[in-house]
Amino acid sequence: MTLETPAPTAESSLEADMLAMGRRARAASRTLALAGADARTKAIKGMASALRGRSKEVLAANAADLDDARAKGMADAMMDRLALDEKRLAGVVGALESIAAIPDPVGVETARWTPENGLDIARVRTPLGVLAIIYESRPNVTADAAALAVRAGNAVILRGGSECLRSNLAIHEALVEGLTSAGLSPDTVQIVTTRDRAAVGQILTGLDGSIDLLIPRGGRSLVERVKNEARVAVLGHLEGVNHVYVHASADPDMARAVAVNAKMRRVSVCGAAETLLIDKAVADDLLPRIAADLTGAGCELRADPAARALIPGAAAANDDDWATEYLKPILAVKVVDGMDEALDHVARYGSGHTESIVASDEAAIERFLAEADAGIVLANASTQFADGGEFGFGGEIGISTDRLHARGPVGAEQLTSFKYVVRGKGQTRP
Amino acid sequence: MTLETPAPTAESSLEADMLAMGRRARAASRTLALAGADARTKAIKGMASALRGRSKEVLAANAADLDDARAKGMADAMMDRLALDEKRLAGVVGALESIAAIPDPVGVETARWTPENGLDIARVRTPLGVLAIIYESRPNVTADAAALAVRAGNAVILRGGSECLRSNLAIHEALVEGLTSAGLSPDTVQIVTTRDRAAVGQILTGLDGSIDLLIPRGGRSLVERVKNEARVAVLGHLEGVNHVYVHASADPDMARAVAVNAKMRRVSVCGAAETLLIDKAVADDLLPRIAADLTGAGCELRADPAARALIPGAAAANDDDWATEYLKPILAVKVVDGMDEALDHVARYGSGHTESIVASDEAAIERFLAEADAGIVLANASTQFADGGEFGFGGEIGISTDRLHARGPVGAEQLTSFKYVVRGKGQTRP
């Protein structure tokens, strides 16, 4: 009797391909970790210049993606997220150059001490290993996520949206040119080339231990699917239901400027404010003025009864409004009776992303900063500063709302792990 | 038509109870975070003295647990893990006093800087929130895990093994006495009182967002069940397949002392060495002597062919032996041809827990420390130092083999998260 190997099916082929991709990434991560900061810097600079040199090809690939999207009837707002032009591409090149200039976090000693047993112990940063980034739209993610990963010594597997596959592949070629120019393996940054949706399911398994961290970038349903199905660690980037609390001691002009900027500078970023809380003590005078600024800038207001009494044009807010991340020019507004009520509201409805107070009273500032539980808490500044670039990280892969590992803007430093390096003189333990 | 509420079932009662426990823990975590370092210190000292004061009751409860275990025919080794006596209890009290002396990590600023936008940004430690500890045997875990959690400002839910339920409940009473003596809520440390195994399944759901981190302490099947089923973050504490690599440049006496201590000081701790790798260049002379030391101490050796030629009494090792964490007086032994082979073996079979080299050549030491990928890498010291107390952490909740959040010994500092605290002067973003 002869045993026959079953003919490979499409599924088993995809699985085999993905597992092999994982193994290549793991192998590449080992050599990347030991390649040294200079090689990594050179690779990222090489990525930037290769992208500049290939801008014609990238824009042509993007034009083809856009043609297909148009033919399929994609909405303009969605198409805008896929579209690249000379200016946007120059922005991506600039982002890569910034990332190349970030200090290399690998090998940095973050602590060193000698306990009673006489051992010399150091805590040293190491790469995480292999990252997998699953993203939608925005082809620039292909470049900046890959560069941040490599800066921190990680190999990366990219799986972008099918609607920009050509654009992503063209950008990937530039990234590989950068890697090889620095003597690094092309497998350091791999891109999933199949449109087959089953590839995502494969990645979510962790590829047999090849993946250390999954990073979903995109809409809520993508992030939730990944969080629910993934068998490996996921960097959580959920909602930004962010508050601006105008305290009784707020400078009125500052409150107006900060509130408007926090909502309206860019309404679709995760750092945009979604609810304004204003102290009863100053609402009579100040709320109508802030409201006029906001509606003048095109914002729709949804207010609680006390606020509506002061801004008659505002619609009535319901319970859902307090918990909603609009990502649109809509702001929920509530009058609160002091700090306790403001903090309770933030604790109940905030998503742990970004919370802010405008106040001049130091004690009120310090209390809010201590008690508001979010990755970023600000006093007297716009929530729109919730951004890795603004924090001086040189870039970010997203803003984490998790409490473990990384919280707030995730830059290269947060894409690392650490090890304890212990130097002894022959000590044994009694 | 009247709608009838379904009669509560046993399962829905347990679920309701567990969800309520989660809500109480969440509420307690909020007040604990703001209670201040002194209150937390006072509580832990109070726990220690209450435990000392209640030692009769705790030992009586333990005796009752042991009677039941004996009647059920439990093996002696297992009973030893449940058993408390005056000396062990004094050890637990001492551990609590050490934990009370650990510097409070909450509110500590770990970085502060001002980027170009002029914002004053600080990274500040915060508690994780609510921890849930699922553990087997060892009633001391009830006390020291709870104390470490509270030191870092976290509320905690404890679910120990049914076989020590009485012991754990008695210890819990002492812990609550300590909490209330410092003005803290008794809900800060809650214990699951039902023997119903379904309670664990409930905890694994995360109790509707009440739990931030799950910590399993126990055997492999418990840890794997938790990792596979949990819907919330789990602190991974898997195997310690730890190596001692005796390099060609090793001091022979040091190699003998370190190898024996690493294996035989305590064979059942996760930091015990499980495989000895010895350089071909020194094996002829040194391996027989190390082997004699080990067998003299009661260790069984399983060796590769090259090692067996030098230690004829050793059994033959098979492939499984290289990947096995024996937790017994058994050691796998292999002769390697230099650093490359040693590092490849460690990369292939190590579990990322603890790896060590004995060498006098500085370059060899630095290469091993850089390239061996584990939470703890040691040169010229026993792997048995893989311990939070030895690291100066004052205690540990376990040793993590994860790459995210915490790696190596997990002390109070690792049971924290952080927030970015941003102080502005009214900055808005262009």
Short mmCIF file of all heavy atoms in Angstrom, two decimals, chain A residues 326-386:
data_model
loop_
_atom_site.label_atom_id
_atom_site.label_comp_id
_atom_site.label_asym_id
_atom_site.label_seq_id
_atom_site.Cartn_x
_atom_site.Cartn_y
_atom_site.Cartn_z
N TYR A 326 -16.94 61.08 17.67
CA TYR A 326 -17.59 61.48 16.42
C TYR A 326 -16.65 61.41 15.22
O TYR A 326 -17.05 61.00 14.14
CB TYR A 326 -18.13 62.90 16.52
CG TYR A 326 -19.16 63.09 17.60
CD1 TYR A 326 -18.85 63.80 18.75
CD2 TYR A 326 -20.45 62.57 17.48
CE1 TYR A 326 -19.79 64.00 19.75
CE2 TYR A 326 -21.39 62.76 18.48
CZ TYR A 326 -21.06 63.48 19.61
OH TYR A 326 -21.98 63.67 20.61
N LEU A 327 -15.37 61.83 15.42
CA LEU A 327 -14.44 61.99 14.30
C LEU A 327 -15.08 62.85 13.20
O LEU A 327 -14.83 62.66 12.02
CB LEU A 327 -14.02 60.63 13.75
CG LEU A 327 -13.22 59.77 14.76
CD1 LEU A 327 -12.91 58.39 14.19
CD2 LEU A 327 -11.92 60.48 15.17
N LYS A 328 -15.90 63.80 13.63
CA LYS A 328 -16.58 64.74 12.73
C LYS A 328 -16.68 66.08 13.45
O LYS A 328 -16.42 66.16 14.66
CB LYS A 328 -18.00 64.23 12.46
CG LYS A 328 -18.08 62.95 11.66
CD LYS A 328 -19.54 62.72 11.23
CE LYS A 328 -19.61 61.59 10.22
NZ LYS A 328 -20.13 60.37 10.82
N PRO A 329 -17.11 67.11 12.75
CA PRO A 329 -17.27 68.40 13.42
C PRO A 329 -18.55 68.45 14.28
O PRO A 329 -19.48 69.23 14.01
CB PRO A 329 -17.31 69.41 12.27
CG PRO A 329 -17.71 68.62 11.07
CD PRO A 329 -17.27 67.22 11.28
N ILE A 330 -18.56 67.61 15.29
CA ILE A 330 -19.66 67.54 16.25
C ILE A 330 -19.03 67.47 17.63
O ILE A 330 -18.06 66.73 17.83
CB ILE A 330 -20.53 66.28 16.04
CG1 ILE A 330 -21.07 66.20 14.62
CG2 ILE A 330 -21.68 66.25 17.07
CD1 ILE A 330 -21.73 64.86 14.30
N LEU A 331 -19.57 68.24 18.58
CA LEU A 331 -19.02 68.26 19.93
C LEU A 331 -20.15 68.16 20.93
O LEU A 331 -21.15 68.88 20.82
CB LEU A 331 -18.24 69.57 20.16
CG LEU A 331 -17.51 69.71 21.50
CD1 LEU A 331 -16.30 68.78 21.58
CD2 LEU A 331 -17.05 71.16 21.70
N ALA A 332 -19.98 67.26 21.90
CA ALA A 332 -20.97 67.17 22.98
C ALA A 332 -20.56 68.18 24.06
O ALA A 332 -19.37 68.38 24.31
CB ALA A 332 -21.00 65.75 23.55
N VAL A 333 -21.53 68.83 24.68
CA VAL A 333 -21.24 69.89 25.65
C VAL A 333 -22.04 69.68 26.93
O VAL A 333 -23.26 69.46 26.87
CB VAL A 333 -21.60 71.28 25.08
CG1 VAL A 333 -21.20 72.38 26.07
CG2 VAL A 333 -20.93 71.50 23.73
N LYS A 334 -21.38 69.77 28.06
CA LYS A 334 -22.07 69.62 29.34
C LYS A 334 -21.55 70.62 30.34
O LYS A 334 -20.34 70.87 30.44
CB LYS A 334 -21.86 68.19 29.87
CG LYS A 334 -22.51 67.95 31.24
CD LYS A 334 -22.16 66.60 31.82
CE LYS A 334 -23.26 65.59 31.55
NZ LYS A 334 -23.15 64.41 32.44
N VAL A 335 -22.46 71.18 31.13
CA VAL A 335 -22.09 72.05 32.25
C VAL A 335 -21.92 71.17 33.48
O VAL A 335 -22.78 70.34 33.77
CB VAL A 335 -23.18 73.12 32.51
CG1 VAL A 335 -22.83 73.94 33.75
CG2 VAL A 335 -23.33 74.04 31.29
N VAL A 336 -20.79 71.34 34.17
CA VAL A 336 -20.55 70.53 35.37
C VAL A 336 -20.40 71.40 36.59
O VAL A 336 -19.98 72.57 36.50
CB VAL A 336 -19.29 69.65 35.22
CG1 VAL A 336 -19.49 68.55 34.19
CG2 VAL A 336 -18.05 70.48 34.92
N ASP A 337 -20.76 70.83 37.73
CA ASP A 337 -20.71 71.57 38.98
C ASP A 337 -19.42 71.23 39.70
O ASP A 337 -19.42 70.53 40.72
CB ASP A 337 -21.94 71.19 39.82
CG ASP A 337 -22.10 72.07 41.04
OD1 ASP A 337 -21.32 73.05 41.20
OD2 ASP A 337 -23.00 71.79 41.86
N GLY A 338 -18.29 71.70 39.16
CA GLY A 338 -17.02 71.51 39.86
C GLY A 338 -16.23 70.29 39.42
O GLY A 338 -16.66 69.47 38.60
N MET A 339 -15.05 70.19 40.00
CA MET A 339 -14.06 69.18 39.62
C MET A 339 -14.57 67.75 39.85
O MET A 339 -14.33 66.86 39.03
CB MET A 339 -12.78 69.43 40.43
CG MET A 339 -11.70 68.38 40.24
SD MET A 339 -10.80 68.54 38.68
CE MET A 339 -9.79 69.97 39.05
N ASP A 340 -15.25 67.52 40.97
CA ASP A 340 -15.72 66.15 41.24
C ASP A 340 -16.57 65.63 40.09
O ASP A 340 -16.39 64.51 39.61
CB ASP A 340 -16.56 66.11 42.53
CG ASP A 340 -15.71 66.25 43.78
OD1 ASP A 340 -14.46 66.20 43.68
OD2 ASP A 340 -16.29 66.40 44.87
N GLU A 341 -17.52 66.47 39.66
CA GLU A 341 -18.41 66.02 38.60
C GLU A 341 -17.65 65.84 37.29
O GLU A 341 -17.89 64.89 36.54
CB GLU A 341 -19.58 67.01 38.40
CG GLU A 341 -20.67 66.41 37.53
CD GLU A 341 -21.80 67.37 37.17
OE1 GLU A 341 -22.00 68.38 37.89
OE2 GLU A 341 -22.49 67.10 36.16
N ALA A 342 -16.71 66.75 37.03
CA ALA A 342 -15.92 66.63 35.80
C ALA A 342 -15.13 65.32 35.80
O ALA A 342 -15.12 64.57 34.82
CB ALA A 342 -14.97 67.81 35.67
N LEU A 343 -14.47 65.02 36.91
CA LEU A 343 -13.66 63.80 36.98
C LEU A 343 -14.53 62.54 36.91
O LEU A 343 -14.16 61.55 36.28
CB LEU A 343 -12.81 63.80 38.26
CG LEU A 343 -11.61 64.73 38.22
CD1 LEU A 343 -10.97 64.83 39.60
CD2 LEU A 343 -10.57 64.26 37.21
N ASP A 344 -15.71 62.60 37.54
CA ASP A 344 -16.60 61.44 37.45
C ASP A 344 -17.03 61.20 36.01
O ASP A 344 -17.10 60.07 35.54
CB ASP A 344 -17.87 61.66 38.30
CG ASP A 344 -17.59 61.45 39.78
OD1 ASP A 344 -16.53 60.89 40.13
OD2 ASP A 344 -18.45 61.86 40.60
N HIS A 345 -17.34 62.30 35.31
CA HIS A 345 -17.77 62.17 33.91
C HIS A 345 -16.64 61.57 33.06
O HIS A 345 -16.84 60.66 32.26
CB HIS A 345 -18.19 63.53 33.36
CG HIS A 345 -18.72 63.48 31.96
ND1 HIS A 345 -20.07 63.55 31.67
CD2 HIS A 345 -18.09 63.32 30.78
CE1 HIS A 345 -20.23 63.46 30.35
NE2 HIS A 345 -19.05 63.32 29.79
N VAL A 346 -15.43 62.08 33.26
CA VAL A 346 -14.27 61.57 32.51
C VAL A 346 -14.03 60.10 32.83
O VAL A 346 -13.77 59.28 31.94
CB VAL A 346 -13.02 62.42 32.81
CG1 VAL A 346 -11.75 61.72 32.34
CG2 VAL A 346 -13.14 63.79 32.16
N ALA A 347 -14.15 59.74 34.11
CA ALA A 347 -13.93 58.34 34.49
C ALA A 347 -14.98 57.44 33.85
O ALA A 347 -14.69 56.33 33.42
CB ALA A 347 -13.99 58.20 36.02
N ARG A 348 -16.19 57.96 33.75
CA ARG A 348 -17.27 57.12 33.22
C ARG A 348 -17.24 57.00 31.71
O ARG A 348 -17.47 55.93 31.18
CB ARG A 348 -18.61 57.70 33.66
CG ARG A 348 -19.74 56.84 33.21
CD ARG A 348 -21.01 57.14 33.94
NE ARG A 348 -22.08 56.34 33.31
CZ ARG A 348 -23.36 56.59 33.40
NH1 ARG A 348 -23.78 57.62 34.11
NH2 ARG A 348 -24.23 55.81 32.80
N TYR A 349 -16.95 58.11 31.02
CA TYR A 349 -17.10 58.13 29.57
C TYR A 349 -15.79 58.18 28.80
O TYR A 349 -15.77 57.91 27.60
CB TYR A 349 -17.96 59.33 29.15
CG TYR A 349 -19.39 59.21 29.60
CD1 TYR A 349 -19.87 59.99 30.66
CD2 TYR A 349 -20.27 58.32 28.98
CE1 TYR A 349 -21.19 59.88 31.09
CE2 TYR A 349 -21.59 58.20 29.40
CZ TYR A 349 -22.04 58.98 30.45
OH TYR A 349 -23.35 58.87 30.87
N GLY A 350 -14.71 58.56 29.45
CA GLY A 350 -13.43 58.67 28.76
C GLY A 350 -12.94 57.30 28.31
O GLY A 350 -13.29 56.27 28.90
N SER A 351 -12.13 57.26 27.27
CA SER A 351 -11.62 55.99 26.77
C SER A 351 -10.17 55.78 27.16
O SER A 351 -9.53 54.85 26.67
CB SER A 351 -11.74 55.96 25.24
OG SER A 351 -11.03 57.06 24.69
N GLY A 352 -9.65 56.66 28.04
CA GLY A 352 -8.27 56.46 28.47
C GLY A 352 -7.25 56.96 27.46
O GLY A 352 -6.08 56.63 27.55
N HIS A 353 -7.70 57.75 26.49
CA HIS A 353 -6.79 58.21 25.44
C HIS A 353 -6.14 59.53 25.87
O HIS A 353 -4.98 59.56 26.26
CB HIS A 353 -7.59 58.37 24.14
CG HIS A 353 -6.79 58.58 22.90
ND1 HIS A 353 -6.07 59.73 22.66
CD2 HIS A 353 -6.60 57.79 21.82
CE1 HIS A 353 -5.47 59.62 21.47
NE2 HIS A 353 -5.78 58.46 20.95
N THR A 354 -6.93 60.63 25.82
CA THR A 354 -6.38 61.96 26.11
C THR A 354 -7.42 62.79 26.85
O THR A 354 -8.54 62.93 26.38
CB THR A 354 -6.01 62.67 24.79
OG1 THR A 354 -5.05 61.86 24.10
CG2 THR A 354 -5.38 64.04 25.06
N GLU A 355 -7.03 63.39 27.98
CA GLU A 355 -7.95 64.21 28.75
C GLU A 355 -7.26 65.54 29.09
O GLU A 355 -6.05 65.55 29.34
CB GLU A 355 -8.37 63.50 30.04
CG GLU A 355 -8.97 62.10 29.83
CD GLU A 355 -10.29 62.11 29.06
OE1 GLU A 355 -10.85 63.20 28.84
OE2 GLU A 355 -10.76 61.02 28.68
N SER A 356 -8.05 66.62 29.08
CA SER A 356 -7.40 67.91 29.31
C SER A 356 -8.24 68.85 30.16
O SER A 356 -9.46 68.75 30.21
CB SER A 356 -7.11 68.59 27.97
OG SER A 356 -8.31 69.00 27.35
N ILE A 357 -7.53 69.76 30.84
CA ILE A 357 -8.15 70.79 31.65
C ILE A 357 -7.56 72.14 31.26
O ILE A 357 -6.37 72.22 30.92
CB ILE A 357 -7.93 70.53 33.16
CG1 ILE A 357 -8.68 71.56 34.01
CG2 ILE A 357 -6.44 70.52 33.51
CD1 ILE A 357 -8.65 71.28 35.50
N VAL A 358 -8.42 73.16 31.25
CA VAL A 358 -7.92 74.52 31.14
C VAL A 358 -8.20 75.17 32.48
O VAL A 358 -9.36 75.23 32.91
CB VAL A 358 -8.60 75.31 29.99
CG1 VAL A 358 -7.93 76.67 29.80
CG2 VAL A 358 -8.54 74.52 28.69
N ALA A 359 -7.17 75.65 33.14
CA ALA A 359 -7.31 76.18 34.50
C ALA A 359 -6.09 77.02 34.83
O ALA A 359 -5.01 76.79 34.28
CB ALA A 359 -7.43 75.03 35.51
N SER A 360 -6.26 77.96 35.77
CA SER A 360 -5.08 78.67 36.26
C SER A 360 -4.78 78.30 37.71
O SER A 360 -3.68 78.51 38.20
CB SER A 360 -5.28 80.19 36.13
OG SER A 360 -6.40 80.58 36.91
N ASP A 361 -5.73 77.68 38.36
CA ASP A 361 -5.54 77.27 39.76
C ASP A 361 -4.65 76.02 39.80
O ASP A 361 -5.01 74.96 39.29
CB ASP A 361 -6.94 76.98 40.36
CG ASP A 361 -6.87 76.50 41.79
OD1 ASP A 361 -6.10 75.57 42.09
OD2 ASP A 361 -7.60 77.07 42.63
N GLU A 362 -3.46 76.18 40.42
CA GLU A 362 -2.48 75.09 40.43
C GLU A 362 -3.01 73.82 41.08
O GLU A 362 -2.76 72.71 40.58
CB GLU A 362 -1.21 75.52 41.19
CG GLU A 362 -0.35 76.53 40.46
CD GLU A 362 0.24 75.99 39.15
OE1 GLU A 362 0.48 74.76 39.06
OE2 GLU A 362 0.44 76.79 38.21
N ALA A 363 -3.72 73.98 42.18
CA ALA A 363 -4.23 72.79 42.86
C ALA A 363 -5.22 72.04 41.99
O ALA A 363 -5.23 70.79 41.95
CB ALA A 363 -4.88 73.19 44.19
N ALA A 364 -6.05 72.78 41.28
CA ALA A 364 -7.02 72.14 40.38
C ALA A 364 -6.29 71.42 39.26
O ALA A 364 -6.63 70.28 38.89
CB ALA A 364 -7.97 73.20 39.80
N ILE A 365 -5.26 72.07 38.72
CA ILE A 365 -4.47 71.44 37.66
C ILE A 365 -3.87 70.13 38.17
O ILE A 365 -4.00 69.07 37.54
CB ILE A 365 -3.35 72.38 37.18
CG1 ILE A 365 -3.95 73.54 36.38
CG2 ILE A 365 -2.33 71.62 36.34
CD1 ILE A 365 -2.94 74.63 36.01
N GLU A 366 -3.20 70.20 39.31
CA GLU A 366 -2.53 69.00 39.80
C GLU A 366 -3.51 67.87 40.14
O GLU A 366 -3.24 66.70 39.91
CB GLU A 366 -1.63 69.33 41.00
CG GLU A 366 -0.43 70.20 40.62
CD GLU A 366 0.42 69.65 39.46
OE1 GLU A 366 0.73 68.43 39.44
OE2 GLU A 366 0.79 70.43 38.55
N ARG A 367 -4.69 68.28 40.66
CA ARG A 367 -5.66 67.23 40.96
C ARG A 367 -6.14 66.54 39.69
O ARG A 367 -6.22 65.31 39.62
CB ARG A 367 -6.86 67.81 41.72
CG ARG A 367 -7.83 66.72 42.11
CD ARG A 367 -9.02 67.18 42.90
NE ARG A 367 -9.95 66.04 42.98
CZ ARG A 367 -11.24 66.11 43.25
NH1 ARG A 367 -11.80 67.28 43.50
NH2 ARG A 367 -11.98 65.02 43.29
N PHE A 368 -6.45 67.34 38.68
CA PHE A 368 -6.92 66.75 37.41
C PHE A 368 -5.84 65.86 36.80
O PHE A 368 -6.11 64.73 36.37
CB PHE A 368 -7.31 67.86 36.42
CG PHE A 368 -7.95 67.33 35.17
CD1 PHE A 368 -9.32 67.12 35.11
CD2 PHE A 368 -7.18 67.04 34.05
CE1 PHE A 368 -9.92 66.62 33.96
CE2 PHE A 368 -7.78 66.53 32.89
CZ PHE A 368 -9.15 66.32 32.84
N LEU A 369 -4.60 66.36 36.77
CA LEU A 369 -3.52 65.58 36.16
C LEU A 369 -3.30 64.26 36.91
O LEU A 369 -2.98 63.24 36.31
CB LEU A 369 -2.22 66.39 36.14
CG LEU A 369 -2.23 67.64 35.23
CD1 LEU A 369 -0.91 68.42 35.38
CD2 LEU A 369 -2.46 67.26 33.78
N ALA A 370 -3.50 64.28 38.23
CA ALA A 370 -3.30 63.05 39.01
C ALA A 370 -4.47 62.09 38.87
O ALA A 370 -4.28 60.87 38.79
CB ALA A 370 -3.11 63.40 40.49
N GLU A 371 -5.69 62.65 38.83
CA GLU A 371 -6.85 61.75 38.92
C GLU A 371 -7.45 61.33 37.59
O GLU A 371 -8.09 60.28 37.52
CB GLU A 371 -7.92 62.39 39.81
CG GLU A 371 -7.44 62.57 41.24
CD GLU A 371 -8.55 62.94 42.20
OE1 GLU A 371 -9.72 62.61 41.94
OE2 GLU A 371 -8.24 63.57 43.23
N ALA A 372 -7.28 62.11 36.54
CA ALA A 372 -7.83 61.68 35.25
C ALA A 372 -6.99 60.52 34.76
O ALA A 372 -5.76 60.61 34.68
CB ALA A 372 -7.80 62.84 34.25
N ASP A 373 -7.66 59.40 34.46
CA ASP A 373 -6.93 58.19 34.13
C ASP A 373 -6.88 57.99 32.62
O ASP A 373 -7.81 57.46 32.02
CB ASP A 373 -7.65 57.00 34.79
CG ASP A 373 -6.92 55.69 34.56
OD1 ASP A 373 -5.72 55.72 34.23
OD2 ASP A 373 -7.57 54.63 34.71
N ALA A 374 -5.82 58.46 32.01
CA ALA A 374 -5.67 58.33 30.56
C ALA A 374 -4.19 58.26 30.25
O ALA A 374 -3.35 58.61 31.08
CB ALA A 374 -6.28 59.55 29.86
N GLY A 375 -3.87 57.82 29.04
CA GLY A 375 -2.47 57.73 28.64
C GLY A 375 -1.83 59.11 28.56
O GLY A 375 -0.65 59.27 28.80
N ILE A 376 -2.63 60.11 28.19
CA ILE A 376 -2.13 61.49 28.10
C ILE A 376 -3.10 62.40 28.84
O ILE A 376 -4.31 62.36 28.59
CB ILE A 376 -2.06 61.95 26.62
CG1 ILE A 376 -1.18 61.00 25.81
CG2 ILE A 376 -1.54 63.38 26.53
CD1 ILE A 376 -1.27 61.26 24.30
N VAL A 377 -2.58 63.18 29.77
CA VAL A 377 -3.40 64.18 30.47
C VAL A 377 -2.70 65.53 30.31
O VAL A 377 -1.49 65.63 30.52
CB VAL A 377 -3.63 63.83 31.95
CG1 VAL A 377 -4.49 62.60 32.09
CG2 VAL A 377 -2.33 63.61 32.70
N LEU A 378 -3.47 66.53 29.86
CA LEU A 378 -2.86 67.83 29.58
C LEU A 378 -3.53 68.93 30.37
O LEU A 378 -4.74 68.91 30.57
CB LEU A 378 -3.02 68.23 28.11
CG LEU A 378 -2.56 67.32 27.00
CD1 LEU A 378 -3.75 66.62 26.40
CD2 LEU A 378 -1.84 68.11 25.93
N ALA A 379 -2.73 69.91 30.76
CA ALA A 379 -3.26 71.13 31.35
C ALA A 379 -2.86 72.27 30.42
O ALA A 379 -1.69 72.44 30.08
CB ALA A 379 -2.67 71.36 32.73
N ASN A 380 -3.87 73.04 30.00
CA ASN A 380 -3.60 74.27 29.23
C ASN A 380 -2.88 74.01 27.92
O ASN A 380 -1.94 74.73 27.56
CB ASN A 380 -2.84 75.28 30.10
CG ASN A 380 -3.66 75.68 31.31
OD1 ASN A 380 -4.91 75.74 31.24
ND2 ASN A 380 -3.01 75.94 32.42
N ALA A 381 -3.33 73.01 27.21
CA ALA A 381 -2.84 72.75 25.86
C ALA A 381 -3.88 71.91 25.13
O ALA A 381 -4.69 71.23 25.76
CB ALA A 381 -1.50 72.02 25.90
N SER A 382 -3.84 71.97 23.82
CA SER A 382 -4.84 71.29 23.00
C SER A 382 -4.62 69.78 22.99
O SER A 382 -3.49 69.30 22.91
CB SER A 382 -4.75 71.83 21.56
OG SER A 382 -5.53 71.04 20.69
N THR A 383 -5.72 69.02 23.01
CA THR A 383 -5.62 67.56 22.93
C THR A 383 -4.99 67.11 21.60
O THR A 383 -4.55 65.97 21.48
CB THR A 383 -7.01 66.89 23.05
OG1 THR A 383 -7.87 67.40 22.02
CG2 THR A 383 -7.64 67.17 24.42
N GLN A 384 -4.97 68.02 20.62
CA GLN A 384 -4.37 67.66 19.33
C GLN A 384 -2.86 67.42 19.42
O GLN A 384 -2.25 66.94 18.47
CB GLN A 384 -4.67 68.77 18.29
CG GLN A 384 -6.17 68.95 18.03
CD GLN A 384 -6.67 68.22 16.79
OE1 GLN A 384 -5.88 67.84 15.92
NE2 GLN A 384 -7.97 68.03 16.69
N PHE A 385 -2.28 67.72 20.57
CA PHE A 385 -0.86 67.39 20.75
C PHE A 385 -0.63 65.91 21.05
O PHE A 385 0.52 65.48 21.22
CB PHE A 385 -0.25 68.26 21.87
CG PHE A 385 0.01 69.68 21.45
CD1 PHE A 385 -0.78 70.71 21.92
CD2 PHE A 385 1.05 69.97 20.56
CE1 PHE A 385 -0.55 72.03 21.54
CE2 PHE A 385 1.29 71.29 20.18
CZ PHE A 385 0.49 72.32 20.66
N ALA A 386 -1.70 65.12 21.10
CA ALA A 386 -1.55 63.68 21.32
C ALA A 386 -0.99 63.05 20.05
O ALA A 386 -1.72 62.53 19.20
CB ALA A 386 -2.90 63.06 21.67
#
